[in-house]
Amino acid sequence: MQIALDGPAGAGKSTVAKAIAKKLDIMYLDTGAMYRAVALHMIDNGITVDQIEAVTNALNTIDLQVNYEDGTQKMYLAGEDVSLRIRENAVSKAASDFSALQPVRLFLVKMQQETAAKNNCILDGRDIGTFVLPGADFKFFLTATSAERAKRRANELEEKGQVVDVNKIQAEIEQRDYNDSHREFAPLKQAEDAVLIDSTNMTVDEVINFVVSVIEGK
Ligand code: DC
Protein backbone atom coordinates (compact mmCIF):
# COMPACT_ATOMS: atom_id res chain seq x y z
CA MET A 1 0.00 0.00 0.00
CA GLN A 2 1.22 3.48 -0.87
CA ILE A 3 -0.21 6.66 0.66
CA ALA A 4 0.72 10.14 -0.58
CA LEU A 5 0.31 13.09 1.79
CA ASP A 6 1.14 16.48 0.32
CA GLY A 7 0.62 20.06 1.38
CA PRO A 8 2.28 23.36 2.22
CA ALA A 9 4.74 24.05 5.04
CA GLY A 10 3.43 23.67 8.57
CA ALA A 11 0.11 22.01 7.70
CA GLY A 12 0.81 19.14 10.13
CA LYS A 13 1.74 16.54 7.52
CA SER A 14 4.46 14.86 9.57
CA THR A 15 2.33 14.59 12.73
CA VAL A 16 -0.51 13.04 10.73
CA ALA A 17 1.78 10.77 8.68
CA LYS A 18 3.52 9.45 11.79
CA ALA A 19 0.19 8.62 13.42
CA ILE A 20 -1.17 6.93 10.28
CA ALA A 21 2.02 4.89 9.88
CA LYS A 22 1.70 3.69 13.48
CA LYS A 23 -2.01 2.89 13.17
CA LEU A 24 -1.58 0.93 9.94
CA ASP A 25 1.84 -0.50 10.86
CA ILE A 26 3.48 0.82 7.70
CA MET A 27 6.63 2.84 7.05
CA TYR A 28 6.71 6.64 7.14
CA LEU A 29 9.11 8.52 4.87
CA ASP A 30 9.47 12.26 5.52
CA THR A 31 10.73 13.45 2.11
CA GLY A 32 11.15 17.06 3.32
CA ALA A 33 13.89 15.80 5.65
CA MET A 34 15.74 14.48 2.58
CA TYR A 35 15.61 17.89 0.85
CA ARG A 36 16.74 19.50 4.09
CA ALA A 37 19.74 17.14 4.40
CA VAL A 38 20.80 17.83 0.80
CA ALA A 39 20.51 21.58 1.44
CA LEU A 40 22.60 21.26 4.61
CA HIS A 41 25.27 19.37 2.66
CA MET A 42 25.38 22.21 0.12
CA ILE A 43 25.61 24.85 2.88
CA ASP A 44 28.40 22.92 4.64
CA ASN A 45 30.33 22.78 1.37
CA GLY A 46 29.83 26.45 0.54
CA ILE A 47 27.74 25.66 -2.53
CA THR A 48 25.05 28.15 -3.53
CA VAL A 49 21.88 27.51 -5.49
CA ASP A 50 23.18 29.19 -8.67
CA GLN A 51 26.20 26.83 -8.90
CA ILE A 52 24.47 24.05 -10.81
CA GLU A 53 27.66 22.22 -11.75
CA ALA A 54 28.89 22.18 -8.15
CA VAL A 55 25.45 20.98 -7.01
CA THR A 56 25.50 18.15 -9.56
CA ASN A 57 29.03 17.13 -8.53
CA ALA A 58 28.05 17.18 -4.86
CA LEU A 59 25.09 14.89 -5.60
CA ASN A 60 27.49 12.39 -7.21
CA THR A 61 29.51 12.09 -4.03
CA ILE A 62 27.01 12.82 -1.24
CA ASP A 63 26.77 10.13 1.44
CA LEU A 64 23.12 10.52 2.49
CA GLN A 65 21.37 7.90 4.57
CA VAL A 66 17.87 7.55 5.92
CA ASN A 67 17.85 5.35 9.03
CA TYR A 68 15.12 4.33 11.45
CA GLU A 69 15.96 4.31 15.15
CA ASP A 70 13.20 3.24 17.57
CA GLY A 71 10.75 3.88 14.75
CA THR A 72 11.98 7.45 14.22
CA GLN A 73 13.47 8.61 10.92
CA LYS A 74 17.03 9.92 11.24
CA MET A 75 19.05 11.65 8.55
CA TYR A 76 22.78 10.99 8.23
CA LEU A 77 25.38 12.84 6.17
CA ALA A 78 28.74 11.06 5.88
CA GLY A 79 27.93 9.10 9.04
CA GLU A 80 26.93 12.18 11.07
CA ASP A 81 23.42 12.38 12.51
CA VAL A 82 22.09 15.71 11.19
CA SER A 83 18.45 15.18 12.23
CA LEU A 84 18.50 18.23 14.51
CA ARG A 85 20.57 20.53 12.32
CA ILE A 86 18.22 20.12 9.35
CA ARG A 87 15.41 21.74 11.38
CA GLU A 88 17.25 25.08 11.70
CA ASN A 89 15.56 28.05 10.06
CA ALA A 90 18.36 28.70 7.57
CA VAL A 91 18.07 25.10 6.38
CA SER A 92 14.29 25.43 5.87
CA LYS A 93 14.88 28.31 3.50
CA ALA A 94 17.80 26.58 1.74
CA ALA A 95 15.78 23.36 1.36
CA SER A 96 13.06 25.27 -0.44
CA ASP A 97 15.66 26.93 -2.73
CA PHE A 98 17.69 23.79 -3.56
CA SER A 99 14.54 21.69 -4.01
CA ALA A 100 13.69 23.79 -7.08
CA LEU A 101 16.72 22.34 -8.89
CA GLN A 102 15.91 19.47 -11.21
CA PRO A 103 19.09 17.42 -10.44
CA VAL A 104 18.31 17.59 -6.72
CA ARG A 105 14.73 16.45 -7.28
CA LEU A 106 15.63 13.61 -9.66
CA PHE A 107 18.25 12.35 -7.20
CA LEU A 108 15.85 12.29 -4.24
CA VAL A 109 12.76 11.16 -6.16
CA LYS A 110 14.68 8.05 -7.27
CA MET A 111 15.55 7.23 -3.63
CA GLN A 112 11.92 7.84 -2.59
CA GLN A 113 10.50 5.63 -5.35
CA GLU A 114 12.94 2.82 -4.51
CA THR A 115 11.93 2.95 -0.84
CA ALA A 116 8.23 3.02 -1.70
CA ALA A 117 8.57 0.05 -4.06
CA LYS A 118 9.90 -2.12 -1.22
CA ASN A 119 7.56 -1.15 1.63
CA ASN A 120 3.97 -0.43 2.52
CA CYS A 121 4.36 3.22 3.26
CA ILE A 122 3.11 6.76 3.69
CA LEU A 123 5.24 9.52 2.16
CA ASP A 124 4.75 13.18 2.96
CA GLY A 125 6.00 16.05 0.84
CA ARG A 126 4.96 18.43 -1.92
CA ASP A 127 4.93 16.30 -5.07
CA ILE A 128 4.23 12.76 -3.83
CA GLY A 129 0.76 12.43 -5.39
CA THR A 130 1.64 14.31 -8.58
CA PHE A 131 5.15 13.10 -9.34
CA VAL A 132 6.79 10.60 -6.98
CA LEU A 133 3.91 8.12 -6.63
CA PRO A 134 1.28 9.09 -9.22
CA GLY A 135 -0.27 5.63 -8.82
CA ALA A 136 -0.52 5.77 -4.99
CA ASP A 137 -3.53 3.93 -3.52
CA PHE A 138 -4.54 6.97 -1.48
CA LYS A 139 -3.71 10.63 -1.92
CA PHE A 140 -4.38 13.45 0.51
CA PHE A 141 -3.65 17.17 0.30
CA LEU A 142 -3.49 18.67 3.78
CA THR A 143 -3.66 22.41 4.15
CA ALA A 144 -4.69 25.23 6.51
CA THR A 145 -4.58 29.02 6.26
CA SER A 146 -1.09 30.51 6.55
CA ALA A 147 -2.19 32.40 9.68
CA GLU A 148 -3.23 29.16 11.36
CA ARG A 149 -0.04 27.35 10.27
CA ALA A 150 2.08 30.22 11.61
CA LYS A 151 0.16 30.15 14.91
CA ARG A 152 0.79 26.41 15.34
CA ARG A 153 4.48 26.81 14.54
CA ALA A 154 4.77 29.72 16.99
CA ASN A 155 3.13 27.62 19.72
CA GLU A 156 5.59 24.78 19.10
CA LEU A 157 8.57 27.14 19.38
CA GLU A 158 7.15 28.84 22.47
CA GLU A 159 6.77 25.45 24.13
CA LYS A 160 10.50 24.98 23.55
CA GLY A 161 11.10 28.27 25.35
CA GLN A 162 11.83 30.41 22.28
CA VAL A 163 10.66 33.98 21.84
CA VAL A 164 8.74 34.21 18.58
CA ASP A 165 7.31 36.79 16.20
CA VAL A 166 4.23 35.17 14.70
CA ASN A 167 4.00 37.72 11.85
CA LYS A 168 7.56 36.96 10.80
CA ILE A 169 6.84 33.21 10.90
CA GLN A 170 3.74 33.73 8.76
CA ALA A 171 5.74 35.78 6.21
CA GLU A 172 8.41 33.03 6.03
CA ILE A 173 5.76 30.34 5.57
CA GLU A 174 4.10 32.34 2.78
CA GLN A 175 7.45 32.90 1.06
CA ARG A 176 8.19 29.16 1.20
CA ASP A 177 4.69 28.29 -0.12
CA TYR A 178 5.25 30.70 -2.99
CA ASN A 179 8.68 29.23 -3.83
CA ASP A 180 7.45 25.64 -3.58
CA SER A 181 4.34 26.19 -5.70
CA HIS A 182 5.94 28.38 -8.38
CA ARG A 183 8.99 26.31 -9.27
CA GLU A 184 8.98 24.89 -12.76
CA PHE A 185 9.70 21.24 -11.99
CA ALA A 186 7.25 19.20 -9.86
CA PRO A 187 5.81 22.14 -7.89
CA LEU A 188 3.63 21.91 -4.80
CA LYS A 189 0.18 21.16 -6.20
CA GLN A 190 -2.86 19.14 -5.23
CA ALA A 191 -3.15 16.01 -7.38
CA GLU A 192 -6.44 15.87 -9.24
CA ASP A 193 -7.37 12.63 -7.47
CA ALA A 194 -6.24 13.74 -3.99
CA VAL A 195 -8.68 14.24 -1.12
CA LEU A 196 -8.41 17.83 0.12
CA ILE A 197 -8.32 18.32 3.90
CA ASP A 198 -8.46 21.88 5.21
CA SER A 199 -7.38 21.48 8.83
CA THR A 200 -7.76 25.16 9.79
CA ASN A 201 -10.61 24.34 12.16
CA MET A 202 -9.78 20.69 12.86
CA THR A 203 -7.82 19.04 15.66
CA VAL A 204 -4.98 16.65 14.84
CA ASP A 205 -7.13 13.71 15.96
CA GLU A 206 -9.97 14.78 13.68
CA VAL A 207 -7.59 14.86 10.71
CA ILE A 208 -6.13 11.44 11.59
CA ASN A 209 -9.57 9.88 12.05
CA PHE A 210 -10.73 11.33 8.76
CA VAL A 211 -7.71 9.93 6.88
CA VAL A 212 -8.18 6.50 8.48
CA SER A 213 -11.90 6.52 7.62
CA VAL A 214 -11.11 7.23 3.97
CA ILE A 215 -8.54 4.41 3.86
CA GLU A 216 -10.74 1.90 5.68
CA GLY A 217 -13.79 2.87 3.71
CA LYS A 218 -12.27 1.89 0.40
O1 DC B 1 8.25 19.51 4.53
P1 DC B 1 9.49 20.35 4.85
O2 DC B 1 9.14 21.71 5.35
O3 DC B 1 10.45 19.64 5.76
O4 DC B 1 10.24 20.52 3.42
C1 DC B 1 11.38 21.35 3.28
C2 DC B 1 11.43 21.86 1.84
O5 DC B 1 11.71 20.79 0.95
C3 DC B 1 10.15 22.49 1.32
O6 DC B 1 10.15 23.90 1.46
C4 DC B 1 10.11 22.12 -0.14
C5 DC B 1 10.99 20.92 -0.24
N1 DC B 1 10.25 19.68 -0.53
C6 DC B 1 9.95 19.41 -1.83
O7 DC B 1 10.22 20.23 -2.70
N2 DC B 1 9.35 18.24 -2.16
C7 DC B 1 9.03 17.34 -1.22
N3 DC B 1 8.47 16.17 -1.59
C8 DC B 1 9.30 17.62 0.14
C9 DC B 1 9.91 18.81 0.46
Side-chain angles (χ1 to χ4, degrees):
M1 173 170 38
Q2 295 179 335
I3 305 172
L5 177 62
D6 290 302
K13 298 185 297 293
S14 67
T15 307
V16 171
K18 260 182 225 157
I20 300 295
K22 204 166 169 200
K23 257 190 198 234
L24 303 179
D25 196 20
I26 60 175
M27 180 183 186
Y28 163 46
L29 182 64
D30 170 358
T31 65
M34 300 169 86
Y35 286 94
R36 287 169 179 272
V38 165
L40 179 63
H41 181 70
M42 300 301 166
I43 294 171
D44 283 350
N45 286 281
I47 300 169
T48 53
V49 76
D50 51 328
Q51 297 173 317
I52 290 291
E53 213 182 303
V55 170
T56 309
N57 289 338
L59 291 173
N60 286 331
T61 55
I62 192 172
D63 176 8
L64 172 69
Q65 282 205 14
V66 184
N67 288 348
Y68 288 86
E69 293 167 19
D70 297 330
T72 303
Q73 179 176 328
K74 298 274 183 184
M75 299 304 304
Y76 282 82
L77 277 176
E80 183 199 346
D81 183 353
V82 293
S83 311
L84 284 178
R85 284 186 69 205
I86 61 169
R87 298 294 154 195
E88 288 169 12
N89 217 18
V91 181
S92 304
K93 164 86 176 59
S96 181
D97 291 341
F98 280 100
S99 72
L101 303 181
Q102 186 160 341
V104 170
R105 300 204 71 78
L106 292 178
F107 174 77
L108 290 179
V109 166
K110 185 165 172 273
M111 283 177 79
Q112 292 157 14
Q113 288 172 333
E114 283 169 1
T115 302
K118 284 187 255 163
N119 302 280
N120 287 323
C121 55
I122 177 163
L123 271 64
D124 80 1
R126 304 292 189 286
D127 61 337
I128 309 302
T130 53
F131 192 76
V132 180
L133 304 175
D137 303 279
F138 300 96
K139 296 182 186 179
F140 299 92
F141 193 84
L142 180 61
T143 189
T145 61
S146 59
E148 174 63 21
R149 288 182 282 133
K151 201 172 89 192
R152 291 177 192 167
R153 179 82 187 125
N155 287 343
E156 262 173 35
L157 294 173
E158 272 171 352
E159 274 169 24
K160 289 185 193 158
Q162 298 187 26
V163 180
V164 298
D165 174 349
V166 72
N167 292 325
K168 185 163 170 260
I169 294 177
Q170 186 173 342
E172 284 168 358
I173 282 182
E174 286 173 359
Q175 181 63 51
R176 210 136 70 81
D177 288 353
Y178 184 88
N179 276 356
D180 295 345
S181 53
H182 285 80
R183 65 174 177 239
E184 217 168 295
F185 189 60
L188 164 66
K189 201 171 105 196
Q190 182 182 344
E192 273 174 22
D193 51 349
V195 177
L196 174 67
I197 309 170
D198 182 345
S199 74
T200 306
N201 296 307
M202 291 170 84
T203 63
V204 174
D205 281 344
E206 282 170 342
V207 175
I208 294 165
N209 290 338
F210 175 74
V211 170
V212 170
S213 75
V214 171
I215 292 168
E216 288 179 345
K218 195 165 178 180

